[in-house]
Amino acid sequence: MDREISTGNQSGTSRYHNWIDPGWTIGLWGVAIVLFTINLGSLPLRDWDEGIVAQIAREISDAPFHSFVWLFPRDMNGTPYLNKPPLVHWMIALCYQIGGVNEWTARLPGALLTATSVPLLYGVGREIFFQRSPAVFAALVYLTSLPVVRQGRLAMLDGAVLCFFLVMLVCLLRSRRDLRWGLGVGLGFSCLCLTKGILGILLAAIGLIFIAWDTPRLLTSLYLWIGFGLGCVPVAVWNGLQIHRYGETFLTRHFWDQSLKRVSDSVENNQGFVTYYVWEIVKHGVPWVVFLPIALRNAWENRNLGWAKLTLVWSGIYFIVISLMQTKLPWYAMPLYPAFALMIGAQLQRFWQPPLNAKPLQRVRIWVTVFAVLSIVAWAGAIYYTVGVQQPDLQLIFSTLALTLTVTAILIARQDVQFIVVLIWGTYLTLLVLMMSNHWLWELQETFPAKPVGVMIQRATPKGQTIYTSYPYFRPSLNFYSQRSIIPTPPETLLKHWREDVHPHLLVDRETLQKLPQKQIQFLGITDDWVLVSRAPVVKTTVTAKRRK
C-alpha cells in the first residue's frame, strides 16, 4: 500500500486520478466477494433466523405468482408470516428459482449485499474525510471485522440492513454537494423499512440528526423530502395491504411483538446487562477493538469535523438504544461496526501520516503488550491443535493469526507504521482460512446436526405429517430440512399422543424411547442420538377351525 493513497489529487495526471476511486471501489468489492462467498454453502443452516428466513423464501418460491404468497408470506403450515417485511425473502426466493433450494442460494443474497457494503463504506469515507487513506483504512477494517463477515454470510437480514443504510448515507452525504442526491435517500430508506421495519426509522433518524448538526440547510431541501416521500410509498403500500388483510393481528404481531415489545420485555429469554454489547464488541472485535478507545477519543476531540459528527451521532445513538432494550442479541450490534471502522480508519491515518511535531506512535508499550498477549494465546491454540487435538484446519487458522499478531507487535515496538498493512492483510488471510474451514459457524456445535435428522424425517414420513419430539426447543432449521412441522413436546404429552393419535410419529432420544411400549414401536429411522418411531399397526388374526368330518 503506497502512501500516495492519502495525498488526494496532488500528483500524477488527471486521467490517473480519475481511476483511483473506481479502482479502489472495484478492488474492495472483489476481495469482499471472495471473503463473503467462499465456502458459503458448505455448512447447514443455523437456528433461528436462518431456518425461518430460508423456509419463508421457499414457500414464496414454491407458490404460484397469482396466489400472492409473495405479498402475504406464510409458513409451511399456512400460518401468516408477520415477523418481518419480505424484501430479502424475495431475493432468496429468486435465487431458489435460479439455483434450486440449498444453503448456498439461501445465503447468497445476504452475502452479496454485505460484500457490497464494503465499497459503499469507502464511498462514505470519501465524502467525510479530506484524504483518501482514512476511507481506505476504514473499508479494510470493516472488511476484516469478524462479526461483519460471519453474520453477513448468513441467510439473515442484518447484512442487507448494513448495505441499505450505507446506500442511504452515501446519498445523504453527496446531497451536501449536489442536492439531487437527496432523491436517492428514499431508496435506502425504503429498502431498510422493507427489510427490518421500524429499524429503518431509527437509522433514518440518525442520518437526519447528523444533518441537523453538520449541514442544517439540507433539512430545507425539496429533493431530500421528495426522496423520503417516494421511499415511503412502497413501505406504506405494503403495510397497508397487510393491515387490510390481517387487521389488528398484523399490528400486534409485526409492530408490537417483533419491534416495540423488545424494548420493554425480554423476548424468548434473550436478555443481558446494559454492558452486554460492550462485551460483545470486545469479544469479537479483535484485533481492531484495541484501537477503538483512542479512536473514540480522537473523534471526540475533532467533533467539529464532519466525520467525527457522523460517527459520534451514529454510534452513540444506536449504542444507547440497543443497550437500553431488554431483548439483546449479538447481531443487533451489526450497524455499529461501520461507524467504528470509520473512527478507526481516521486513527490509522494519524499513525500512517502523523501531524507535524507528533510522534508516529504513542502508548507503544500498551499496544505491544496487548498484541504480544494475543499472539501468545493464538500460538497456544496453534500448538494445542497440532500436538493435542490434531485438527489441521484449526492449526492453520491459529497459526496465521498468531504470525500476524506477532509481526504486528514487533513492528509496533519498532514504531514502524507498516504494522497497519501487516495487520490488515494478515487478518484478511486469517478470516479467509476460517471461512474455508467448517468452523466459521461454530454455533452448529451447540446441539445435534439438523440436516441428517431432517433428511431422515423427510424420507420416512408422508408429506404434511406432524412430528412430536422430546427435544425441548423449537428448531426452524429442522423444519426446513424435513419439510415437516416438528413440535417440541414434554414427555407426558408425548405418551398421550402415542396412546391417542391414530398414526403418531415421534422423534425421541434414546432415554425417552425406553418409556414407550416396546412391543408397539415401529422404527422409521435412526441416527446417533435420535430415533424416529411410529406405532406399529395392530394385526388381527382369525383362527378358522376346520370341521371334522
Side-chain angles (χ1 to χ4, degrees):
M1 184 184 298
D2 191 88
R3 291 200 182 195
E4 287 189 0
I5 61 173
S6 58
T7 61
N9 295 325
Q10 294 180 2
S11 63
T13 63
S14 59
R15 178 179 300 179
Y16 168 76
H17 287 294
N18 288 339
W19 279 100
I20 293 179
D21 281 332
W24 275 110
T25 300
I26 295 172
L28 288 168
W29 196 33
V31 295
I33 288 177
V34 171
L35 185 58
F36 281 93
T37 60
I38 194 169
N39 205 31
L40 189 62
S42 63
L43 295 180
L45 299 179
R46 189 187 77 177
D47 294 315
W48 269 58
D49 290 30
E50 269 206 306
I52 294 175
V53 171
Q55 181 59 41
I56 298 303
R58 173 186 262 167
E59 298 298 322
I60 294 173
S61 176
D62 291 345
F65 184 83
H66 59 79
S67 67
F68 291 102
V69 172
W70 60 273
L71 188 58
F72 304 103
R74 65 192 181 198
D75 61 19
M76 67 172 64
N77 298 318
T79 304
Y81 174 74
L82 307 178
N83 292 14
K84 297 290 188 294
L87 179 58
V88 174
H89 306 77
W90 292 341
M91 297 180 184
I92 297 174
L94 180 61
C95 287
Y96 285 168
Q97 293 284 343
I98 298 172
V101 179
N102 53 65
E103 294 88 350
W104 190 81
T105 51
R107 290 172 176 151
L108 184 62
L112 290 179
L113 287 171
T114 313
T116 304
S117 70
V118 175
L120 284 172
L121 186 68
Y122 171 75
V124 170
R126 290 296 287 138
E127 293 296 325
I128 60 176
F129 293 120
F130 296 116
Q131 298 175 312
R132 180 175 290 108
S133 55
V136 174
F137 289 140
L140 292 173
V141 168
Y142 175 70
L143 170 64
T144 53
S145 297
L146 177 63
V148 175
V149 178
R150 276 207 339 123
Q151 300 292 341
R153 287 165 56 94
L154 300 180
M156 295 173 61
L157 311 180
D158 304 279
V161 167
L162 294 179
C163 180
F164 299 144
F165 182 43
L166 290 173
V167 167
M168 186 177 72
L169 280 182
V170 167
C171 294
L172 191 63
L173 292 168
R174 288 197 174 185
S175 67
R176 299 184 302 176
R177 296 186 284 111
D178 186 343
L179 293 177
R180 291 172 295 182
W181 278 92
L183 296 173
V185 174
L187 174 63
F189 175 71
S190 179
C191 291
L192 279 171
C193 291
L194 288 176
T195 300
K196 263 201 169 180
I198 290 180
L199 178 62
I201 299 176
L202 171 62
L203 296 178
I206 289 173
L208 291 176
I209 291 172
F210 160 70
I211 287 297
W213 185 10
D214 182 70
T215 320
R217 63 178 176 82
L218 279 184
L219 296 178
T220 62
S221 170
L222 186 61
Y223 287 103
L224 177 64
W225 297 111
I226 290 176
F228 268 116
L230 293 174
C232 288
V233 171
V235 178
V237 169
W238 184 82
N239 283 279
L241 290 172
Q242 307 305 308
I243 294 172
H244 179 265
R245 186 179 182 96
Y246 301 116
E248 187 177 349
T249 302
F250 173 76
L251 296 175
T252 302
R253 178 66 176 165
H254 183 76
F255 289 106
W256 174 248
D257 292 344
Q258 291 294 317
S259 298
L260 299 177
K261 186 179 180 180
R262 302 189 174 210
V263 177
S264 59
D265 299 332
S266 173
V267 177
E268 297 165 356
N269 203 32
N270 293 305
Q271 57 188 346
F273 294 107
V274 176
T275 57
Y276 174 88
Y277 291 107
V278 175
W279 172 239
E280 283 295 317
I281 292 167
V282 171
K283 182 172 60 174
H284 296 123
V286 175
W288 303 116
V289 71
V290 175
F291 304 108
L292 186 56
I294 191 173
L296 284 166
R297 191 185 73 171
N298 182 38
W300 179 254
E301 291 175 349
N302 292 278
R303 58 188 179 276
N304 61 316
L305 300 179
W307 71 266
K309 292 177 182 178
L310 175 62
T311 55
L312 289 172
V313 168
W314 180 351
S315 60
I317 293 177
Y318 189 82
F319 182 80
I320 291 172
V321 169
I322 62 174
S323 295
L324 294 179
M325 289 175 60
Q326 296 302 306
T327 300
K328 290 181 169 61
L329 292 165
W331 47 89
Y332 283 4
M334 284 282 282
L336 287 172
Y337 292 105
F340 290 156
L342 290 169
M343 289 183 184
I344 295 170
Q347 183 59 47
L348 293 180
Q349 161 62 18
R350 289 176 63 87
F351 295 153
W352 191 256
Q353 284 192 327
L356 295 176
N357 301 322
K359 294 182 179 180
L361 294 177
Q362 300 177 7
R363 296 181 176 84
V364 171
R365 291 183 179 178
I366 297 176
W367 288 335
V368 170
T369 302
V370 171
F371 279 103
V373 170
L374 292 175
S375 65
I376 291 172
V377 174
W379 282 119
I383 294 171
Y384 175 76
Y385 288 112
T386 303
V387 179
V389 181
Q390 296 184 0
Q391 294 194 32
D393 47 357
L394 288 175
Q395 174 196 352
L396 181 59
I397 293 168
F398 277 98
S399 298
T400 307
L401 177 61
L403 184 61
T404 299
L405 296 173
T406 302
V407 175
T408 299
I410 294 172
L411 291 176
I412 292 177
R414 296 178 177 178
Q415 297 198 20
D416 187 343
V417 295
Q418 294 296 328
F419 83 89
I420 298 174
V421 179
V422 171
L423 190 56
I424 288 173
W425 294 118
T427 306
Y428 180 85
L429 290 175
T430 302
L431 290 175
L432 189 64
V433 174
L434 174 61
M435 299 307 143
M436 292 172 64
S437 73
N438 291 327
H439 300 283
W440 67 272
L441 198 54
W442 53 73
E443 292 88 348
L444 295 176
Q445 306 300 321
E446 296 174 356
T447 184
F448 69 92
K451 188 170 184 177
V453 177
V455 172
M456 175 189 70
I457 294 172
Q458 185 180 29
R459 292 174 178 174
T461 60
K463 188 175 182 179
Q465 177 68 52
T466 299
I467 313 293
Y468 299 97
T469 180
S470 59
Y471 188 74
Y473 304 109
F474 176 63
R475 296 196 62 185
S477 62
L478 192 56
N479 284 17
F480 174 82
Y481 287 116
S482 66
Q483 281 298 281
R484 308 289 185 267
S485 179
I486 301 176
I487 304 174
T489 310
E492 58 275 9
T493 310
L494 277 176
L495 293 175
K496 182 179 179 181
H497 283 295
W498 183 265
R499 291 191 303 265
E500 298 179 1
D501 289 5
V502 179
H503 296 292
H505 287 71
L506 308 183
L507 178 67
V508 295
D509 56 74
R510 297 184 183 276
E511 181 180 351
T512 306
L513 180 66
Q514 301 302 319
K515 300 177 182 179
L516 299 177
Q518 299 298 305
K519 294 183 178 180
Q520 299 178 5
I521 295 177
Q522 179 182 10
F523 291 93
L524 302 179
I526 300 176
T527 64
D528 292 339
D529 302 310
W530 295 91
V531 181
L532 180 65
V533 297
S534 182
R535 191 172 61 228
V538 178
V539 179
K540 296 182 180 181
T541 59
T542 56
V543 179
T544 304
K546 294 184 178 180
R547 290 184 181 180
R548 294 183 179 179
K549 293 184 179 180

